[in-house]
Amino acid sequence: MKLIQWYPGHMAKTKRLIKERLKLVDVVYELLDARAPISSQNPMIREITSNKPRIILLNKADLANKQAVDKWIAYFEAQGLKAIAINAMHGLNVNKIVGLSKELMKEKFERNAKRGINVRPIRAMILGIPNVGKSTLINQLVKKRATKVGDVAGITKHLQTIRIHDELELLDTPGILWPKFEDQDIARKLVLIGSLKDSIVAMDDVVVYGMKFLINHYKEAFEARYDITADSEDILSIFDAIGKRRGCLKKGGVVDYDKVIDIFIHDFRNQMFGKIMLDRVDDDV
Ligand code: G4P
């Protein structure tokens, strides 16, 4: 069974649009979910950003395990990329983005200045999958200090830039990329963190995956939450045990599995099992 449908037509159009916009910018901010930096990354980004300098922003760091996120930062840095953990909602590290961008562009701008080319603000663009926090980050940057500076001169009518800093402008429309769905586990992880809509997937499948993942990697937290002993080979018994513990029973005392699904999803998304990392550097993600 295919968990998610794939729309190549839509993707081709989005890719074209983003490529057009990329011509206007100096640096790309690739926004990823700190809990799942690989699953929330679109592999197409490398191809379409080609030689553009790129900064990896691991967002929602408040929901992720700090040590694990630090390992991801080292992982991206080993690829020659700049990477930082941020919390777009509350602003953690958001003020470091300008400095990093300036570092990235320093050489080029100095070269240009020597050739007599006017130094202008760096122009940046945010790229990321839906729900990763693109609008929240734009708002946070705007809140810090910003004025709209109008249409990008002579290029397009509907794209605006926002002056974030004397030396940095941001395209006010982020590039929305869809995640890669070739691997169904990626889709399952993105549903668990709320990046993909529940309505497009079979939630029982996602919950079974989520429970097995927790039993394999965070067994104690999972068992403690429901006061059960869990065996990943016997998920049905786990559904029954949780249902009974939580009184999710239909007429005749039969466990209401839909309610168990809702409880698990709610618990997962509200960090009731702790700061769960769905992609881990040490695993073969
Ligand atoms: P998008 O533009 O990339 O689609 O994402 P958007 O900014 O709309 O953010 C999606 C959800 O993620 C929002 O929750 C937002 O508040 C939350 N979010 C963004 N950044 C952070 C962060 O650093 N930490 C945490 N904990 N949450 C963050 P929402 O409005 O409640 O939407 P939803 O959860 O109902 O989808």
Side-chain angles (χ1 to χ4, degrees):
M1 178 192 66
K2 256 252 181 261
L3 197 65
I4 306 261
Q5 294 302 321
W6 178 247
Y7 300 103
H10 184 185
M11 276 301 291
K13 191 174 162 220
T14 309
K15 187 172 164 183
R16 225 172 24 245
L17 201 73
I18 292 176
K19 271 181 144 174
E20 276 303 305
R21 288 187 195 160
L22 278 171
K23 291 181 190 156
L24 312 175
V25 305
D26 303 302
V27 49
V28 168
Y29 301 150
E30 182 178 1
L31 204 54
L32 302 177
D33 192 302
R35 296 165 292 176
I38 297 297
S39 301
S40 61
Q41 184 172 48
N42 185 311
M44 204 169 73
I45 289 197
R46 201 167 306 160
E47 177 204 331
I48 60 176
T49 53
S50 56
N51 297 324
K52 290 275 175 206
R54 188 155 49 107
I55 300 177
I56 303 285
L57 303 176
L58 296 170
N59 191 33
K60 309 198 185 183
D62 52 311
L63 306 178
N65 174 282
K66 188 174 178 316
Q67 285 79 23
V69 172
D70 286 344
K71 283 192 186 175
W72 277 116
I73 290 175
Y75 168 93
F76 287 114
E77 285 176 347
Q79 295 178 5
L81 292 162
K82 290 201 183 292
I84 50 167
I86 64 164
N87 171 349
M89 199 149 72
H90 296 118
L92 172 85
N93 283 346
V94 168
N95 57 0
K96 292 191 181 152
I97 297 174
V98 172
L100 280 180
S101 311
K102 280 165 63 179
E103 267 175 47
L104 266 184
M105 297 307 298
K106 193 165 176 266
E107 262 182 43
K108 184 180 172 192
F109 277 31
E110 279 176 1
R111 245 189 350 257
N112 284 350
K114 272 188 202 147
R115 289 191 198 132
I117 299 169
N118 271 347
V119 175
R120 54 164 179 76
I122 298 168
R123 197 172 283 156
M125 178 186 182
I126 296 173
L127 281 182
I129 65 168
N131 266 315
V132 77
K134 296 180 295 302
S135 332
T136 310
L137 177 60
I138 291 178
N139 288 337
Q140 187 63 241
L141 284 163
V142 167
K143 211 160 60 181
K144 294 256 179 257
R145 181 181 162 200
T147 44
K148 290 236 173 195
V149 285
D151 294 347
V152 180
I155 304 169
T156 165
K157 284 204 182 89
H158 42 266
L159 287 183
Q160 290 210 318
T161 53
I162 310 166
R163 179 78 46 93
I164 300 296
H165 181 272
D166 291 344
E167 292 158 286
L168 181 74
E169 286 176 12
L170 186 70
L171 231 59
D172 79 346
T173 315
I176 302 169
L177 284 166
W178 299 94
K180 52 176 180 180
F181 293 137
E182 306 103 55
D183 178 345
Q184 300 292 293
D185 284 352
I186 288 177
R188 294 179 178 110
K189 289 179 186 182
L190 294 177
V191 173
L192 282 172
I193 60 175
S195 263
L196 282 179
K197 283 206 166 55
D198 297 357
S199 54
I200 60 172
V201 292
M203 288 309 280
D204 53 349
D205 173 286
V206 171
V207 169
V208 168
Y209 175 82
M211 287 182 177
K212 285 188 176 174
F213 186 91
L214 289 180
I215 295 167
N216 287 335
H217 300 287
Y218 300 92
K219 195 165 197 274
E220 262 180 44
F222 180 69
E223 291 185 336
R225 174 71 190 157
Y226 301 117
D227 191 18
I228 56 171
T229 307
D231 170 4
S232 64
E233 296 304 314
D234 190 5
I235 293 291
L236 199 59
S237 297
I238 295 174
F239 267 70
D240 284 334
I242 297 174
K244 281 178 190 146
R245 283 262 188 284
R246 297 298 175 92
C248 308
L249 302 175
K250 295 201 250 193
K251 266 187 202 152
V254 185
V255 168
D256 185 339
Y257 293 136
D258 289 336
K259 286 218 171 108
V260 175
I261 288 173
D262 289 346
I263 287 175
F264 178 81
I265 289 291
H266 175 273
D267 285 352
F268 194 96
R269 292 186 183 158
N270 288 282
Q271 286 73 58
M272 294 306 175
F273 307 110
K275 297 187 172 186
I276 302 300
M277 295 296 290
L278 284 170
D279 290 341
R280 298 135 52 93
V281 176
D282 302 327
D283 294 345
D284 195 10
V285 282

